[in-house]
Amino acid sequence: MIKRILTNAVLILLCLFIWLPLLLMAGSALMSEGEMLERFGAVFGMGNAPIKAAFIPTYPTLSPFVELLLDSPGFYVMFWNSCLQTGLVLAGQLLIALPAAWAFAHLCFPGKRALFLFYIILMMQPFQVTMVPNYLVLKGFHLLNTHLAVILPGIFSTFPVFIMTQFFSSIPLSLLEAARLDGAGEGAVFIRIGIPMGFPGIMSAGILGFLESWNAIEAPMAFLKDRTLWPLSLYLPDITADKVSVAWVASVAAMAPPLFLFLAGQSFLEQGIMVSGIKE
């Protein structure tokens, strides 16, 4: 009983550690610019008054939302850029990573182990290592400063291949062999058995890929010079101190799609964990 109470207490503290900054951000989004500077002026170099953080503002107002949604056209441009780039990256990953993961999991071909090991090595490389080669390739194809400069490297990411390969590998071989004995071809086995049984893994890879692409900062900064092509992740650093109240609202707007997607796909993530434990 005591152990259970201590465990719950630790979990509650960890949850508060994660949720308190988010609640503070949501409350600050309702502050007027004057109250924001009064409470956080020292952070922006405006005076030496102590910081007075609050979850509920003294005088709540929706003026920051109005300013962002009605008087900030740049926000909509960057929001659309994020939707376009992230959506095409996920669609491309389904077309490229999905069959590649099935091939690594259930097909036999020369150099399979070596190629998969190469995928793992690429997956572990930070962006700083691959930035220069990617830049040179994109420059050679005249794709710099276009949406494709961000989309193509994301489509050919090795991470979703690795994730989906693990889930496809957990499908019992006896089930696949039974389907082949019934006359199903490799394509039919993949479509009728592989995709349905590996759906939690596909969704898990899609959710993680969405979070990575939506929050991308380094790649857009390196490959996109035109601000009209920037995604929403680069909107916040471009906000000046006199627009600090808008920054909180923009943070909430940028966080909302990943948060809703995670909450909607949480069951798939849990199913993915269970699927990974299937034994023949």
Side-chain angles (χ1 to χ4, degrees):
M1 185 66 178
I2 298 178
K3 182 179 179 180
R4 183 178 180 181
I5 294 175
L6 291 176
T7 302
N8 291 337
V10 172
L11 292 176
I12 292 174
L13 289 176
L14 292 176
C15 290
L16 289 177
F17 182 77
I18 295 174
W19 281 99
L20 284 179
L22 301 180
L23 295 175
L24 178 62
M25 179 178 65
S28 299
L30 299 174
M31 291 184 185
S32 63
E33 184 176 345
E35 184 177 357
M36 180 70 62
L37 295 178
E38 180 182 353
R39 291 181 177 274
F40 301 99
V43 177
F44 305 101
M46 299 180 180
N48 298 321
I51 298 176
K52 303 176 183 178
F55 295 107
I56 301 177
T58 306
Y59 304 102
T61 178
L62 294 177
S63 58
F65 287 88
V66 174
E67 184 175 358
L68 177 70
L69 300 178
L70 299 182
D71 299 332
S72 303
F75 169 80
Y76 290 100
V77 173
M78 293 187 177
F79 187 86
W80 163 249
N81 290 339
S82 289
C83 294
L84 175 67
Q85 295 169 10
T86 302
L88 292 180
V89 165
L90 294 181
Q93 287 180 355
L94 286 178
L95 295 176
I96 302 298
L98 193 57
W102 180 259
F104 279 125
H106 293 291
L107 297 183
C108 295
F109 53 89
K112 172 181 172 179
R113 291 181 177 271
L115 184 59
F116 190 67
L117 177 62
F118 182 65
Y119 264 66
I120 295 176
I121 294 174
L122 289 177
M123 184 182 66
M124 294 187 297
Q125 299 299 318
F127 174 78
Q128 291 79 2
V129 174
T130 60
M131 179 179 64
V132 174
N134 284 338
Y135 185 91
L136 294 177
V137 171
L138 293 172
K139 182 178 180 181
F141 284 98
H142 305 285
L143 294 176
L144 286 176
N145 204 32
T146 66
H147 287 298
L148 291 177
V150 177
I151 294 171
L152 288 179
I155 289 178
F156 294 99
S157 172
T158 58
F159 181 71
V161 177
F162 176 80
I163 292 294
M164 287 188 282
T165 298
Q166 308 310 309
F167 287 102
F168 285 146
S169 298
S170 66
I171 299 177
L173 294 177
S174 58
L175 183 61
L176 304 180
E177 293 172 357
R180 294 188 180 101
L181 289 176
D182 287 340
E186 200 61 45
V189 172
F190 171 58
I191 295 174
R192 297 183 180 181
I193 298 178
I195 293 181
M197 293 197 67
F199 188 71
I202 298 172
M203 288 299 299
S204 299
I207 292 172
L208 296 175
F210 178 89
L211 296 177
E212 180 182 7
S213 181
W214 184 267
N215 297 319
I217 293 179
E218 295 175 322
M221 289 186 66
F223 304 145
L224 302 178
K225 303 303 179 185
D226 189 351
R227 289 174 176 257
T228 59
L229 300 176
W230 280 9
L232 189 59
S233 56
L234 298 183
Y235 181 74
L236 292 177
D238 198 43
I239 295 179
T240 56
D242 60 334
K243 298 287 185 179
V244 62
S245 58
V246 176
W248 293 102
V249 181
S251 299
V252 173
M255 183 186 65
L259 180 61
F260 291 145
L261 180 64
F262 175 80
L263 294 177
Q266 188 175 5
S267 60
F268 291 109
L269 293 174
E270 294 173 355
Q271 293 176 32
I273 295 174
M274 292 186 291
V275 168
S276 64
I278 291 180
K279 299 297 181 181
E280 184 177 356

